[in-house]
Amino acid sequence: MVVEDIRKAYGDLKAVDGVSLSVAEGEFFGILGPNGAGKTTTLEIIEGLREPDSGSVRLLGESPWPRRVPLLPRVGVQLQASSFFEKLTAREQLETFASLYGVGATRAHEMLDLVGLADKADTREDKLSGGQRQRLSIACALVHDPDVVFLDEPTAALDPQARRNLWDVLRAIQARGKTIVYTTHYLDEAEILCDRVAIMDKGRILAMDRPAALVRGLDAPTHVILERGSLSAADAAALPGSGEVGEDELSLTISTRQPAELLSALANRGALEGLQVRTATLEDVFLNLTGREYRA
Amino acid sequence: MTAFKSLALAMVKGFYRDKATLFFTFVFPLMFLLIFGLLFRDSGSEKITVGAVGEGPVITALADTGVVELERYPTMAEAVAKVRDGDLPAAVGQSGNEITYRFAASDQNQAGTVRGIVVGVVDNLNLAATNQPPRYTVDESNVEDSSLEPIQFITPGIMSWGVAISAVFGAALTLVNWRKKQVLRRIRLAPVGVPTVLSSRVVVSVGVAIVQAVVFLGIGSLPVFGLRLVGTWALAIPVFLLGVLAFFAIGMLVGAFCKTEEAATGAANIVVMPMAFLSGTFFPIEQSPKWMQAVSQIFPLRHMNDGIMDFLVRGQGASALVVPCLVLAGFTVVVGAIAAKVFQWEDS
């Protein structure tokens, strides 16, 4: 998938303002950013649902706009709203979507298993929980065994347990060799799941790389946090590798660029009470790129 | 299963699993059939009630005519009071050879009818009293006329109306709901063409209409209502099917314009309700003013009504197919083309 300098404006609002990216086969690619960053519009242009004002998209070697029927069976799309047929059960939804691609019912039932909804097969769509609906809509996107899967905010509005269940589903899909492109505003989640991420804000891509590389590129210090009172601030500052030392009512925070040395010194002193080690995250990357705190 | 079949199946399931839709498709029109059917059941044979006072050959002869219902009163004053109150159109009293007839000036029609009957009876008795053979005799026998028993026009009218409602609502609500929930968009992402989606909806609408027709005609034919279909009923089928298509097209147009189900329901009602009242659904169009009859010519429901009634109960020949079929087909094409023009896959 190759996207070159696509742009899309709605009136004065530049929803997508010159986005270029490429995704290799089998890759799990995340487009991250706060709401309104232009993630969904970017995805819709790549899927062939919208025409870009300018720029070009090649998806599996073809241009998705205007609607190209031979390309459609190779692409799976989960839309942001859970789009289901009214009054149908989970199984019937999948069977109906499967038949749109000429795929049999057996495959539809496999998909229910994959997303862990086998026991909800006969439950109507409107009686499913938020997480179950999300999993069902992902199953609907996968039912025709596409090569590329687009998921728009699949984990939005889910409780933490449902999100973790869904991660397992997403990993299982990747294990089948699919290319996954997904959007999320949970940076922590993207860091765990994605091979590569693009961080978007205001219609532009600010950075694109492996999450670990982005974080490393920040060159931010590691924070070692101890229970307050386990060590005095002065003692902490004197430890090898210790940088800035801060203290609040609960904890003592030492920032360091040589975490290994600092930690072994702390271990030697037996001062590991309530130890936490915080390295930089994608949120820090976002903060660094935009100069503002990340808010989903 | 093919995409066509499974889309149709999805729509059929969505239809019969929705109680409100079932109600408005079957129960609601049936309620009207029941109300109007029972209301008008005896309207052809209703007798006029007349106040009667005293005894004598005239009163007896009046009772024997079987055309009027006599209501007994002890005194003429009491009977006249009833007439004055508007409870009776007229009162007749006999005291010896004297006949008194009092009528309400407000109800000239009925009073006139009663007067004719009373005078006729008195004249006959007078003639009989003279022992002369009558010079003029009336040779009478009844002729089947072309006016219909109420149930004969109520059933086809309400059937057309019920079918129109469900065709418009079915098409409009499916379109709006699928667009709102992005099902249309999802279908667009699958290798399925517009003709498949459209034809599956048409087939479902026609199927629902056929079930409605069978139910309505079946219930109308129950002895309590007494609908009788004439030999040419099968010729009503093309008019019926074209009518369903015309209303399907209207539904597509409503669905193309409206963004929410609520708006679509309102718009569909605005389209169908006036049509129902002005197209002879609830009463014969011949009874309405001339201007209204002229206006109703622009409604497809009028032509569907006329066309179906011609064959279902009036026994017209095949030549009567031409006008309703052409009008309904033309309507379908024009409205369908406009709907296709304004159609959108998703909310902009």
Side-chain angles (χ1 to χ4, degrees):
Chain A
M1 179 182 114
V2 182
V3 176
E4 272 170 12
D5 197 33
I6 54 169
R7 289 167 198 275
K8 181 84 187 173
Y10 299 108
D12 287 340
L13 177 74
K14 289 175 180 166
V16 179
D17 190 14
V19 165
S20 300
L21 52 89
S22 62
V23 177
E25 203 179 317
E27 209 173 5
F28 196 141
F29 188 85
I31 301 177
L32 324 180
N35 283 332
K39 307 187 295 289
T40 299
T41 310
T42 302
L43 215 54
E44 285 175 347
I45 291 171
I46 302 172
E47 292 159 358
L49 282 170
R50 287 189 197 287
E51 186 183 14
D53 295 339
S54 65
S56 76
V57 179
R58 306 292 287 174
L59 182 59
L60 298 162
E62 298 196 63
S63 166
W65 180 275
R67 186 169 181 253
R68 191 165 301 236
V69 176
L71 190 58
L72 299 175
R74 301 186 63 193
V75 179
V77 175
Q78 180 229 8
L79 298 170
Q80 198 161 20
S82 301
S83 51
F84 296 119
F85 294 99
E86 252 191 330
K87 313 263 177 209
L88 295 197
T89 65
R91 187 210 315 271
E92 289 166 343
Q93 304 282 356
L94 273 168
E95 287 173 355
T96 307
F97 281 118
S99 72
L100 296 184
Y101 294 89
V103 173
T106 328
R107 167 85 190 160
H109 303 159
E110 275 173 37
M111 281 300 110
L112 278 178
D113 286 336
L114 176 76
V115 298
L117 283 178
D119 56 330
K120 295 284 174 191
D122 296 317
T123 306
R124 284 198 201 165
E125 151 267 326
D126 53 324
K127 301 279 190 294
L128 295 174
S129 73
Q132 290 163 345
R133 288 167 65 91
Q134 287 286 16
R135 278 185 279 156
L136 179 59
S137 70
I138 290 173
C140 289
L142 291 169
V143 75
H144 54 292
D145 201 23
D147 300 326
V148 187
V149 186
F150 292 96
L151 308 169
D152 196 0
E153 307 254 351
T155 54
L158 294 188
D159 62 66
Q161 186 55 48
R163 267 177 73 194
R164 279 185 175 73
N165 290 344
L166 200 56
W167 292 357
D168 294 337
V169 173
L170 296 179
R171 288 198 182 101
I173 298 165
Q174 195 193 13
R176 289 169 162 231
K178 309 293 177 199
T179 307
I180 303 177
V181 179
Y182 104 123
T183 67
T184 184
H185 55 251
Y186 295 118
L187 299 184
D188 52 341
E189 172 184 293
E191 203 167 339
I192 296 167
L193 290 175
C194 294
D195 297 324
R196 276 194 314 139
V197 297
I199 297 180
M200 271 191 91
D201 192 37
K202 295 176 179 160
R204 293 170 163 278
I205 289 183
L206 303 178
M208 182 160 54
D209 207 336
R210 288 179 294 118
L214 285 174
V215 172
R216 206 178 309 128
L218 259 189
D219 196 24
T222 303
H223 296 279
V224 175
I225 302 156
L226 296 168
E227 212 166 81
R228 186 192 161 108
S230 55
L231 201 67
S232 77
D235 285 349
L239 290 171
S242 175
E244 221 170 285
V245 176
E247 216 173 3
D248 61 21
E249 310 88 85
L250 290 171
S251 55
L252 174 83
T253 305
I254 312 164
S255 62
T256 174
R257 291 187 179 277
Q258 290 105 22
E261 284 173 40
L262 177 65
L263 285 171
S264 66
L266 283 170
N268 284 340
R269 297 182 60 136
L272 292 173
E273 217 87 345
L275 173 77
Q276 292 177 50
V277 180
R278 275 200 58 223
T279 53
T281 64
L282 283 178
E283 298 200 16
D284 299 308
V285 175
F286 185 85
L287 174 67
N288 182 52
L289 288 169
T290 63
R292 60 191 163 87
E293 205 65 58
Y294 182 78
R295 268 190 193 81
Chain B
M1 212 185 312
T2 63
F4 167 80
K5 263 200 228 164
S6 71
L7 282 175
L9 194 64
M11 284 184 274
V12 168
K13 283 177 178 163
F15 168 77
Y16 75 69
R17 285 177 188 172
D18 188 51
K19 290 191 181 63
T21 308
L22 284 182
F23 176 84
F24 281 104
T25 309
F26 294 107
V27 182
F28 188 58
L30 274 179
M31 277 164 41
F32 280 81
L33 184 64
L34 224 66
I35 292 168
F36 284 95
L38 295 177
L39 200 64
F40 292 137
R41 190 159 54 135
D42 296 324
S43 69
S45 57
E46 206 175 308
K47 289 178 185 172
I48 303 172
T49 305
V50 178
V53 183
E55 286 298 333
V58 172
I59 298 289
T60 314
L62 265 181
D64 289 346
T65 59
V67 206
V68 290
E69 194 84 43
L70 295 185
E71 206 167 279
R72 295 281 168 183
Y73 288 94
T75 66
M76 199 59 201
E78 273 175 69
V80 169
K82 281 286 175 187
V83 175
R84 187 165 290 132
D85 290 348
D87 293 340
L88 293 171
V92 185
Q94 178 162 29
S95 167
N97 287 340
E98 194 183 326
I99 311 296
T100 323
Y101 178 65
R102 296 287 179 272
F103 63 93
S106 60
D107 200 348
Q108 302 251 355
N109 265 340
Q110 285 204 16
T113 310
V114 177
R115 185 178 180 279
I117 295 163
V118 171
V119 170
V121 165
V122 171
D123 284 352
N124 271 338
L125 289 172
N126 278 337
L127 181 65
T130 63
N131 285 326
Q132 293 264 338
R135 183 172 299 164
Y136 307 106
T137 53
V138 180
D139 172 28
E140 60 172 1
S141 70
N142 63 14
V143 173
E144 212 46 70
D145 58 18
S146 67
S147 67
L148 299 168
E149 285 287 308
I151 192 69
Q152 299 290 93
F153 68 77
I154 290 169
T155 319
I158 286 180
M159 178 183 79
S160 302
W161 172 63
V163 164
I165 293 180
S166 65
V168 172
F169 278 73
L173 292 182
T174 300
L175 193 54
V176 170
N177 180 272
W178 282 16
R179 186 172 48 229
K180 209 176 79 177
K181 294 181 79 180
Q182 300 198 353
V183 173
L184 277 184
R185 205 179 189 198
R186 185 67 185 71
I187 292 173
R188 186 124 176 89
L189 285 164
V192 176
V194 177
T196 308
V197 182
L198 200 61
S199 59
S200 62
R201 183 59 246 189
V202 169
V203 164
V204 171
S205 286
V206 169
V208 169
I210 290 173
V211 175
Q212 282 182 297
V214 169
V215 168
F216 297 155
L217 295 181
I219 289 184
S221 302
L222 292 176
V224 62
F225 298 111
L227 172 73
R228 287 183 314 277
L229 300 186
V230 297
T232 54
W233 68 269
L235 286 173
I237 293 173
V239 182
F240 177 81
L241 294 179
L242 284 169
V244 175
L245 289 184
F247 285 102
F248 178 84
I250 294 177
M252 293 308 280
L253 186 61
V254 168
F257 268 115
C258 296
K259 294 226 186 300
T260 65
E261 279 106 330
E262 290 77 13
T265 306
N269 268 322
I270 287 172
V271 174
V272 180
M273 276 320 274
M275 242 191 251
F277 280 107
L278 298 180
S279 302
T281 294
F282 303 119
F283 51 87
I285 189 74
E286 292 79 14
Q287 288 177 11
S288 41
K290 281 274 173 285
W291 66 266
M292 200 191 269
Q293 294 190 33
V295 167
S296 75
Q297 293 287 348
I298 63 167
F299 296 135
L301 189 56
R302 166 76 198 271
H303 296 278
M304 187 176 175
N305 258 342
D306 280 359
I308 288 180
M309 225 179 292
D310 278 349
F311 305 113
L312 225 47
V313 294
R314 283 202 179 111
Q316 300 264 356
S319 61
L321 273 174
V322 178
V323 173
C325 285
L326 279 181
V327 171
L328 291 172
F331 207 90
T332 307
V333 170
V334 171
V335 175
I338 301 173
K341 192 93 187 154
V342 290
F343 172 80
Q344 283 174 318
W345 283 95
E346 51 193 270
D347 292 325
S348 47

